[in-house]
Each structure stands twice: as structure tokens, then as C-alpha cells.
Amino acid sequence: MADAYAERTFIMVKPDGVQRGLVGKIIKRFEQKGFKLVAMKFMWASEELLSKHYSDLSSRPFFPGLVKYMASGPVVPMVWEGLDAVKTGRFILGATNPKDSNPGTIRGDLCIQVGRNIIHGSDAVESANKEINLWFTEKELVSWPRTVDSWVYGEN
Ligand code: DAT
Ligand code: MG
């Protein structure tokens, strides 16, 4: 398959998404779109890891609250692969603030408050690579052939 189909994005169900029982619903949206799951785990992340994950936002007033919230319960970090996975992933998530997220998006349909917006998604290929390497080891990233790809991408 073409290299363009191998773009990867880092998606994570946040603690409120886990507590509210939305993990399956969120996974389903990426799965049914046609993206390929290449890594996933269930873990309780440390404040240290989360501070690294959100290091770009460290000067923002909401940063301490953000890290505390993200460390308040288990999360589900994942890597999804496919054509334009990063950009399309952001569309599937919807705008950062749920009041601006379109209906049909995860945030538009399933949450209300910016500080409890249930899901993270990488905003660029570069940040996706940084985040994937922060949350997963090389061994945990599973490259696998998928026979349905010829139907998803039309190269049959
Ligand atoms: P995104 O998660 O859409 O990439 P971001 O990277 O700008 O958004 O911010 C990371 C998270 O921080 C975001 O999902 C929710 C939280 N956040 C952003 N702006 C906020 C604000 N003004 N008040 C409280 N939390 C905020
Ligand atoms: Mg972001």
C-alpha cells in the first residue's frame, strides 16, 4: 500500500471518557471510518508523563488543572493509521471547546465543557510522532496487513 496510507495519529480517551463509559463508542468511530488500529493500552498515566505530553501548554493558566484532570483516572492511549489520519482525526474529534464542536463529532455529540472534553488527538504529523514515541515503545506499535485496505482505498 502507498506510504500516504501509513500516516499515524495519537488518540487518547481522557479520564472522563473512560469514567463515562465512552471508550467503545470512541473506538468505533475511528474503526468504522476505516482507520487501522496499530496500538492501544489502558493505563493510569503519571503527572510526569502528562506534563511531557502537554509541554507546549506549560505556560497556560489552565495547565496545572489540565495535568491534574488527566492524572485523575485511567486513560486509553491509541495509535490509528491511514490516509490523512492526523487531519481527519481532528475532524472526527471536533473543535477543542465542545461549544464550538459540530454535531456528529465526538466532542460535539458527547461532551459540554472544554476542561472535560473526553478525548485527545494530535494536531500535526510532527506532534503525532512525538506523542506516539512518548506513549508507546517501538515494540508496542503493531504493523499488520489488512485485506480490507484494497476496498477502503480502492486499489483493487
Ligand atoms: P486540543 O485538545 O483540541 O488539541 P489544546 O491542545 O489547545 O486542544 O489544549 C489541550 C487541552 O487543554 C484541551 O483538549 C482542553 C484543555 N484546554 C484548552 N484550552 C482550555 C481552556 N481555555 N480552559 C481549560 N482547559 C483548556
Ligand atoms: Mg492539542
Side-chain angles (χ1 to χ4, degrees):
M1 298 303 280
D3 282 353
Y5 305 157
E7 185 173 304
R8 289 175 172 180
T9 190
F10 177 75
I11 301 293
M12 177 165 53
V13 184
K14 296 180 176 183
D16 47 336
V18 172
Q19 295 285 351
R20 292 178 51 201
L22 298 172
V23 174
K25 206 169 247 181
I26 288 170
I27 290 173
K28 188 185 170 94
R29 293 198 180 203
F30 284 87
E31 212 175 22
Q32 68 190 6
K33 176 74 173 167
F35 288 122
K36 183 162 78 172
L37 184 64
V38 299
M40 175 167 67
K41 53 190 168 188
F42 181 68
M43 60 184 281
W44 197 320
S46 67
E47 290 198 10
E48 190 191 349
L49 175 61
L50 292 160
S51 299
K52 279 188 198 156
H53 173 76
Y54 280 127
S55 59
D56 291 355
L57 300 171
S58 60
S59 61
R60 305 296 288 274
F62 58 82
F63 181 76
L66 173 62
V67 170
K68 210 170 162 217
Y69 145 60
M70 290 297 296
S72 67
V75 292
V76 182
M78 298 174 267
V79 179
W80 288 90
E81 183 179 287
L83 180 64
D84 293 321
V86 172
K87 190 168 185 227
T88 306
R90 293 287 291 190
F91 278 125
I92 292 172
L93 261 60
T96 302
N97 193 323
K99 79 174 158 55
D100 303 318
S101 316
N102 289 323
T105 64
I106 291 171
R107 287 166 172 168
D109 288 349
L110 303 172
C111 60
I112 293 173
Q113 158 78 270
V114 68
R116 294 292 182 275
N117 65 357
I118 72 170
I119 183 162
H120 167 83
S122 309
D123 62 7
V125 172
E126 198 184 31
S127 47
N129 290 334
K130 180 203 133 186
E131 291 165 3
I132 289 165
N133 291 324
L134 185 63
W135 288 86
F136 292 97
T137 63
E138 198 60 44
K139 266 189 163 175
E140 289 172 326
L141 301 168
V142 181
S143 295
W144 56 288
R146 202 176 55 165
T147 49
V148 80
D149 277 355
S150 60
W151 292 101
V152 173
Y153 292 112
E155 292 190 356
N156 52 315

